[in-house]
Amino acid sequence: MAKIISLANQKGGVGKTTSAINLAAGLAHEGKRVLLIDADPQANASSGLGVDIRTVENTIYECLINGTDPHKAVIKTSEKNLSIIPSHIDLVGAEIEMLNMPERETLMKKVTSLLADEYDYILIDCSPSLGLITVNALTASHSIIIPVQCEFFALEGIAKLLNTVKIIKSKLNPSLQIEGFLLTMYDSRLRLSNQVYEEVKRHFGNLVFNTVIARNVRLSEAPSHGMSALQYDPSSKGAQSYIQLAKELIQR
């Protein structure tokens, strides 16, 4: 039975999709069967794993809105043990279409329940908003990973996200847990990075992953080649960090 984890933060540019792609690849590298669901209309996780969304017939949009069997949307990537359900720009309008649907908050849960037996981990890359699709992702998940950028406004908006998590726990998914806060874009040379790290650690203690993702050129380059950093340059610092993160997650 898969453990289902959403990666979410309504603040954009925090390394959320980079983390979704590379954590999925890291878990696959450790021999786990992994499915990544791209629930962001920008579809960056899809293109970042080599999917040409112009040629794809079924995406997460069809699964949520048309009730398409999610097995028809699963695409095997070039990386062993790693599959993806791609996204599509149509997902932008999905939230409006979902408004009048019965049990609109649990549509993603229906999708994941049909796939859970076939994977060890299902990761959901959420869009940078707290809209209905993110609510769906959190309702379907066992836990949430919150990527936090080591920059000045790092903690801004986290209170809002934690409040959303609290509401979902009380109304839709009582078993939702915070898996952890993941510090990204860390630069040990900058005092600010160290201050943000200390502040997040002080606020959230053991909920902060020991693994910290440093700024790394290979992490930025890999998506343009349609592959994770682990496939693009396995020896790079970025790839090694995500393998470390995958191991930490498995041990938890």
Side-chain angles (χ1 to χ4, degrees), residues 29-51:
H29 176 273
E30 293 302 301
K32 302 297 180 186
R33 298 164 302 156
V34 185
L35 175 67
L36 176 59
I37 296 178
D38 188 352
D40 184 345
Q42 295 173 78
N44 291 337
S46 306
S47 58
L49 282 173
V51 177

Side-chain angles (χ1 to χ4, degrees), residues 11 26 37 47 54 63 98 101 107 127-128 172 184 193 219 223 226:
K11 191 175 184 298
I37 296 178
S47 58
R54 293 167 303 181
C63 299
M98 289 159 90
M101 293 173 80
L107 297 171
S127 65
L172 295 163
T184 62
S193 274
L219 285 176

Side-chain angles (χ1 to χ4, degrees), residues 12-236:
V14 297
K16 179 181 53 59
T17 297
T18 299
S19 295
I21 290 172
N22 290 294
L23 175 56
L27 290 164
H29 176 273
E30 293 302 301
K32 302 297 180 186
R33 298 164 302 156
V34 185
L35 175 67
L36 176 59
I37 296 178
D38 188 352
D40 184 345
Q42 295 173 78
N44 291 337
S46 306
S47 58
L49 282 173
V51 177
D52 181 354
I53 55 168
R54 293 167 303 181
T55 64
V56 172
E57 206 171 309
N58 293 307
T59 67
I60 192 62
Y61 172 85
E62 280 75 24
C63 299
L64 294 173
I65 303 300
N66 305 336
T68 299
D69 179 352
H71 292 92
K72 291 180 179 173
V74 173
I75 295 171
K76 279 188 163 54
T77 71
S78 59
E79 304 191 35
K80 193 182 173 194
N81 298 326
L82 177 55
S83 297
I84 183 167
I85 292 183
S87 181
H88 194 276
I89 192 67
D90 287 352
L91 208 55
V92 168
E95 303 214 339
I96 297 163
E97 293 177 69
M98 289 159 90
L99 283 175
N100 298 319
M101 293 173 80
E103 299 178 342
R104 61 190 181 192
E105 293 90 358
T106 59
L107 297 171
M108 184 73 81
K109 193 172 185 177
K110 287 173 186 152
V111 171
T112 54
S113 66
L114 293 169
L115 299 162
D117 289 341
E118 295 156 49
Y119 298 94
D120 299 308
Y121 288 90
I122 295 177
L123 303 186
I124 306 175
D125 182 30
C126 299
S127 65
S129 78
L130 292 178
L132 193 48
I133 291 177
T134 299
V135 168
N136 258 270
L138 296 177
T139 302
S141 296
H142 297 113
S143 62
I144 173 175
I145 290 175
I146 302 169
V148 180
Q149 189 179 2
C150 289
E151 299 221 333
F152 185 65
F153 294 115
L155 295 177
E156 202 181 68
I158 285 184
K160 206 181 267 184
L161 177 59
L162 293 178
N163 193 43
T164 302
V165 170
K166 199 168 149 191
I167 292 165
I168 286 168
K169 267 185 83 118
S170 67
K171 294 192 165 26
L172 295 163
N173 181 4
S175 59
L176 181 65
Q177 300 294 325
I178 291 172
E179 191 70 48
F181 292 84
L182 173 66
L183 286 151
T184 62
M185 304 183 194
Y186 178 77
D187 187 339
S188 57
R189 297 165 304 177
L190 299 179
R191 188 193 296 169
L192 180 62
S193 274
N194 294 303
Q195 284 172 340
V196 171
Y197 178 79
E198 293 303 328
E199 194 179 350
V200 174
K201 202 80 174 135
R202 195 174 71 246
H203 268 275
F204 301 110
N206 291 339
L207 283 175
V208 183
F209 283 103
N210 294 324
T211 307
V212 173
I213 310 299
R215 284 192 179 278
N216 181 254
V217 138
R218 292 291 190 249
L219 285 176
S220 311
E221 291 173 352
S224 63
H225 296 270
M227 53 180 82
S228 72
L230 281 77
Q231 193 179 26
Y232 178 61
D233 184 356
S235 62
S236 67

